[in-house]
Amino acid sequence: MASLLDSLERSRLLKDRDAAREVLNPAEPPHVSLLRLCDVGLLEGGLTVSFGVRPDELVGPLTLAMGGAARRFKVVDVRERPVLELHVLAGETSERWEVEDLAALVHNLNDLYLEAPDVRAVTVLGEWNDALQLLCVEKRALPRLLRERFFQPYNRDALERMMEKR
């Protein structure tokens, strides 16, 4: 388990190593430990999102965790039918997004801020305790994390394509 904690510390993602040691179960796979650490709030940039949360409700906490220019992101209007649609404003960019779920919101935000070096990428770590575990990561740390065996985000393919475009 030490290698997981060492890697998280190197990436500046671990808040409290001693608390993390108490939470981890050495018998479980490292990617499960990562979910557990996110769920208990021990990962910098980690968010635990209940399955009942709508994309428009997550925008504020998520863009705050992404940092940089994403903090100025605004939702101008929300339409609920037939599919949830967000009218968003990011700087001079005004767009309408159909977001059927949280994964679609994450995808759109990552795409919108692809070229912004001061905005963290959002990774979807997976599900744990009836919640979705998200982790906002500095883009410069993402290539190293993607090589780690414990790092198995649901949106891995999109993150790898994001790194290729940069």
Side-chain angles (χ1 to χ4, degrees), residues 77-88:
D77 191 23
V78 178
R79 306 282 172 152
E80 293 190 32
R81 297 222 170 24
V83 174
L84 186 68
E85 180 184 87
L86 304 179
H87 178 197
V88 303

Side-chain angles (χ1 to χ4, degrees), residues 86-153:
L86 304 179
H87 178 197
V88 303
L89 184 61
E92 299 297 316
T93 303
S94 176
E95 296 180 348
R96 294 192 182 279
W97 294 350
E98 286 188 4
V99 286
E100 59 205 38
D101 58 17
L102 300 178
L105 175 65
V106 167
H107 171 79
N108 287 356
L109 286 168
N110 276 339
D111 192 48
L112 179 66
Y113 292 107
L114 175 67
E115 298 297 325
D118 64 333
V119 177
R120 293 177 194 93
V122 184
T123 67
V124 181
L125 296 179
E127 300 170 6
W128 185 261
N129 282 344
D130 295 326
L132 192 63
Q133 306 299 323
L134 304 176
L135 182 61
C136 296
V137 177
E138 296 287 339
K139 290 176 184 155
R140 67 180 177 269
L142 196 51
R144 182 177 62 240
L145 277 173
L146 287 167
R147 289 190 300 270
E148 296 282 0
R149 297 182 79 205
F150 67 84
F151 192 69
Q152 300 177 14

